């Protein structure tokens, strides 16, 4: 299993029976492939579906059935369609148990920046802000360092925020970290990665409990 | 992925409602009123409830059972004109009543379901219905702030449901039910018929399953539902 | 035809093809019986139906299909059901062309009082306030005098208002009056009723144009 | 009583839209975008339009036709990430763009449809998305006022309609369409299929007929709708 797939599989393990879950565009959407087929989970997409079945097989696409990322999907038995106001009522009203989102930067205090890079990328916030601010649990799924080798986990975000202090857990190819009131806790480490390597790749101090570190 | 089965027993579902709970109850008159859930709530007997319902039903029906059992501290409603018992209890100070214009009541419930703080309206300006409400200046004019009405529980009545919790209402029995199902912390639905998951088409769902926590199947409907015994 | 039926028939003549109309509880509901069966009109009831067909025949009632007054009704072909928020969105959002309402008192300035008599009747405002304040045209349907012989049309209302300056037209068993910026205009008079009788029964000055007065 | 027939010709319906109009357009990506109505609007060519749509479609599709024709003064949207042309025009100052969080956009449209002034929310507090918004003090805390977005016209796409104007959407093509149909002064709907009045069950209607002013029947769908030609 690649380190990316291990990260996706690890995030999928936090999706438990009965949850309603929104998987953000990009990497988070792929977590879907690692949720057990018999796990009773309701996948929400903010363009107006609860009960995403999966990606539509090639040639089987319904032109009216996409997810928020624009990919053709299927509707699972027991799924439903609704308008965009109901869709975000579900998000803001406390019915979304978990969302997994991508990040440009994520901070030790739970701040998330994933929608604008001033002067470079500003195409609108879409649904990210409400997912980040209002899902009961917010997980961030990201490579631990960016393509230039810089840490994506920082003490404080430098980019404009999507939401303040919203992130509960960060899943990367190297580690799982939890945002807590006393700091960013390293709670799991990828197999074959050392604590020193994680510290080196992280732009914020890590709280590490005594005893053996669980791996994934 | 399969849907979670939300089926629950009547007793078990209603047992969650304790003293002091804020309980929304669907229905406009008889249609859409979840009489069986209310009856079990009376049997259970929590006190000091805040009840949110469009109307107080009629004497000897639905909400009136809760009033007569002395379980209601406060009633938030649009009118109680068909229930002389509710009017008597209100005038005697046995219950507090907050009257809200019907569409404003619907919208205050909906805005809670939408996870928002409230909305801004001109309904009632210049009348005593505006008294006591927070005023806001917007674009140089004065408006009223209408706060979201949240609740701990919603009791709703559906004609049909699938085991995963998707609900379909019938005719004017829809009324406040879908709004309340979205607004409460915990939504308990009773359904006349429960069909296997997949039998309700996804375009035909009125209340999507994620808004429903517990689903109670009704046996034969008692006469209070307007069922004519032949 | 009784004077009541003439009043109902007169009000029905202002319901024209294409209108969406809400008929208030009581007398206004009976206007339905005087609208031509082939007139394309959409009757709304605020408990969640557009396309009321009429009263249900005895023994044919659907237990789930009532109007806001609690009477069993039918749904016309092309009718629809919706929730209470959509129902009042239709009212407040400018989609209700006309409402006909009852009155305790109605004033020459268009003020309407029809929901509370302090110390006597206070059962809640229901949907009346939004109908009165937001329908594009508001008609009041009432007997010209109350059962004690007192006028119901006044210079100013004495009871708490349902809505301020909302009424456009008043239909009674004696007259049709229009609320205009320069006063209350008598625009039609019931057959067999004299102008003096109308003035006598009206608690506000009436503006009367020169020339023959149309009758109904 | 019979339903009023809302059927209209494409040219006649769109001819109502003049210079400076505020036009809502349904759709989230391709599904639900009324391409045929947009195409006729381009043919007609009014200028200085304010367009309200979730996204700007992709280059060479839908909203992009209006942008490329220089008909758009202002775009109110949640994101334009799939349309490089829109981003270029925005950066060059050729169009004004107001970005609104997606659910807040939906709700601001809905609150216009509900005939209310606006709503009160905490979405975006502490971020630059809150900048420039009116702040309100409620219960001792600070919230943002989100004003209703009204429009002169809504262009919506339905899968099915009856001649009276009841609309049914399919799958995720529903999205902003029912909200916009309620929010505009004049709603023009295109429908893939128009059935006789009475064929759509009253419980199955998504947009009730009173919200629809003009109904345009579509002939065979062009490929832009995602139709695969076989």
């Amino acid at each position: 299993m690649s380190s990316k797939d291990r990260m996706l599989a690890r995030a999928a393990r936090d999706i438990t029976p009965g949850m309603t879950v929104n998987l953000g565009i990009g990497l988070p959407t792929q977590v879907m492939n690692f949720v057990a087929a018999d796990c009773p989970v309701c996948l929400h997409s903010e363009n107006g579906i609860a009960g995403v079945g999966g990606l539509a097989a090639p040639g089987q696409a319904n032109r009216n059935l996409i997810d928020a990322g624009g990919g053709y999907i299927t509707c699972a038995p027991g799924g439903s369609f609704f308008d965009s106001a109901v869709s975000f009522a579900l998000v803001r009203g406390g019915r979304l148990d978990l969302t997994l989102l991508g990040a440009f930067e994520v901070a030790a205090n739970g701040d998330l920046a994933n929608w604008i890079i001033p002067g470079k990328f500003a195409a609108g916030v879409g649904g990210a802000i409400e997912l980040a601010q209002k899902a009961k649990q917010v997980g961030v799924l990201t490579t631990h360092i960016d393509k230039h080798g810089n840490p994506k986990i920082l003490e404080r975000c430098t980019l404009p925020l999507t939401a303040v202090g919203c992130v509960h857990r960060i899943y990367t190819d190297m580690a799982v970290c939890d945002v807590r009131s006393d700091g960013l806790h390293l709670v799991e480490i990828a197999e074959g990665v050392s604590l020193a390597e994680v510290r080196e790749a992280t732009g914020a101090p890590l709280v590490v409990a005594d005893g053996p570190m669980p791996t994934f | 992925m399969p849907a979670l089965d939300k089926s629950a027993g009547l007793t078990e579902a209603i047992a969650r409602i304790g003293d002091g709970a804020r309980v929304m109850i669907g229905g406009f008159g008889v249609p859409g009123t979840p009489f069986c859930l209310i009856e079990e709530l009376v049997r259970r007997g929590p006190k000091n409830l805040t009840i949110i319902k469009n109307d107080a039903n009629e004497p000897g029906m639905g909400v009136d059972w809760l009033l007569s059992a002395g379980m209601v501290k406060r009633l938030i409603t649009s009118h109680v004109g068909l229930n002389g018992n509710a009017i008597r209890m209100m005038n005697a100070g046995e219950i507090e009543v907050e009257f809200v214009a019907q569409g404003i009541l619907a919208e205050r419930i909906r805005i809670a379901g939408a996870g928002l703080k409230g909305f801004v309206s001109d309904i009632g300006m210049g009348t005593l219905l505006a008294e006591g409400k927070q005023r806001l200046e917007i674009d140089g004019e004065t408006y009223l702030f209408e706060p979201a009405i949240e609740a701990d529980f919603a009791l709703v009545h559906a004609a049909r449901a699938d085991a995963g919790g998707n609900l379909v209402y019938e005719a004017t029995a829809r009324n406040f039910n879908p709004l309340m199902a979205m607004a409460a912390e915990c939504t308990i639905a009773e359904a006349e018929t429960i069909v296997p998951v997949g039998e309700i088409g996804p375009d035909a769902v009125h209340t999507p399953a994620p808004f429903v926590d517990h689903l109670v199947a009704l046996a034969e409907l008692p006469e209070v539902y307007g069922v004519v015994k032949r």
Side-chain angles (χ1 to χ4, degrees), chain A, chain B:
Chain A
M1 204 184 251
S2 70
S3 65
K4 178 184 136 190
D5 282 0
R6 267 191 303 169
M7 166 175 67
L8 297 172
R10 176 59 194 85
R13 285 214 304 277
D14 284 347
I15 298 178
T16 54
M19 276 188 171
T20 300
V21 178
N22 183 298
L23 301 174
I25 295 169
L27 213 50
T29 298
Q30 299 176 43
V31 171
M32 186 160 50
N33 305 324
F34 294 86
V35 177
D38 63 348
C39 180
V41 165
C42 178
L43 291 183
H44 168 259
S45 190
E46 64 268 31
N47 58 322
I49 172 171
V52 175
L55 296 178
Q60 301 297 308
N62 171 345
R63 67 186 161 84
N64 286 320
L65 185 40
I66 62 171
D67 65 14
Y72 289 112
I73 55 171
T74 63
C75 179
S80 57
F81 303 121
F82 33 78
D83 68 45
S84 298
V86 170
S87 193
F88 280 90
L90 188 154
V91 173
R92 290 186 309 257
R95 291 293 181 173
L96 188 63
D97 298 298
L98 172 68
T99 189
L100 297 177
L101 299 171
F104 297 153
E105 296 175 346
V106 55
N109 64 356
D111 288 356
L112 173 66
N114 74 353
W115 76 281
I116 187 173
I117 302 175
K120 279 178 72 179
F121 180 84
V125 71
I129 184 173
E130 290 156 282
L131 291 167
Q133 195 175 328
K134 292 296 183 179
K136 285 177 170 170
Q137 293 282 321
V138 177
V140 159
L141 203 70
T142 177
T143 55
H144 210 94
I145 56 173
D146 70 15
K147 59 186 171 186
H148 308 294
N150 298 316
K152 297 186 74 167
I153 303 174
L154 305 174
E155 231 178 314
R156 289 292 177 273
C157 289
T158 65
L159 295 170
L161 299 186
T162 305
V164 177
C166 62
V167 177
H168 299 92
R169 178 165 277 195
I170 304 166
Y171 308 88
T172 79
D173 48 345
M174 298 179 77
V176 176
C177 302
D178 279 0
V179 175
R180 298 185 195 160
S181 55
D182 65 339
L184 189 66
H185 288 244
L186 178 67
V187 294
E188 291 179 37
I189 199 163
E191 261 180 54
V193 176
S194 73
L195 178 55
E197 285 170 323
V198 174
R199 285 202 198 272
E200 170 70 25
T202 306
L206 285 173
V207 182
V208 182
D210 292 336
M213 176 63 61
T215 60
F216 66 95
Chain B
M1 285 152 205
L4 188 74
D5 191 325
K6 306 265 179 76
S7 302
L10 176 61
T11 310
E12 157 206 358
I14 294 296
R16 298 161 189 276
I17 305 177
D19 289 350
R22 297 165 299 173
V23 184
M24 290 177 170
I25 302 179
F28 186 118
V30 167
T33 300
F35 291 105
C36 286
L37 298 182
I38 300 172
E39 192 177 38
E40 173 62 18
L41 184 59
V42 172
R43 208 189 60 74
R44 184 86 193 168
K47 302 293 180 199
N48 291 316
L49 301 178
T50 293
I51 299 295
I52 300 129
K53 188 178 187 293
N54 175 61
D55 56 273
N57 292 121
E58 297 172 43
M61 286 173 71
V63 167
D64 193 59
W65 298 332
L66 299 167
L67 293 171
S68 297
M71 294 162 61
V72 181
K73 183 186 174 201
R74 184 174 168 75
L75 178 64
I76 304 177
T77 186
S78 89
H79 70 96
V80 298
L82 296 178
N83 189 340
N85 187 40
I87 295 175
R88 187 196 57 71
M89 289 178 77
M90 171 177 75
N91 290 339
E94 295 168 26
I95 52 170
E96 299 164 23
V97 177
E98 178 182 347
F99 285 123
V100 185
Q102 197 167 99
I104 298 298
L105 181 63
E107 203 67 22
R108 287 178 61 189
I109 293 165
R110 190 203 161 276
I111 208 94
L116 300 165
K117 183 71 180 170
F119 62 93
V120 176
S121 150
D122 65 352
I123 296 295
M125 284 301 284
T127 77
L128 60 77
L129 287 151
E131 284 175 17
K133 297 190 190 217
Q134 182 174 349
R135 279 152 194 264
L136 300 172
E137 293 293 316
I138 314 272
D139 302 339
E141 292 198 57
T142 304
Y143 292 89
L144 302 173
F145 174 68
E146 299 284 358
I149 299 178
E150 296 170 339
D152 302 302
F153 296 91
L155 307 184
V156 303
H157 175 91
R160 234 150 61 93
D162 67 27
N166 287 309
L167 306 183
V168 175
Y169 309 100
E170 188 175 295
T172 59
R174 193 179 318 184
N175 55 66
F176 284 77
N177 281 298
L179 310 172
M180 291 176 168
M182 292 169 71
E185 198 68 31
C186 175
T187 293
I188 303 170
E190 58 170 47
E192 296 175 28
T193 309
I194 299 185
V195 300
V197 165
E199 284 203 8
I200 299 177
D203 282 321
V205 169
H206 292 150
T207 291
F211 294 107
V212 176
D213 297 283
H214 307 288
L215 180 62
V216 175
L218 295 177
E220 203 196 354
L221 291 187
E223 280 188 45
V224 66
Y225 284 91
V227 179
V228 179
K229 300 288 180 192
R230 288 168 208 275

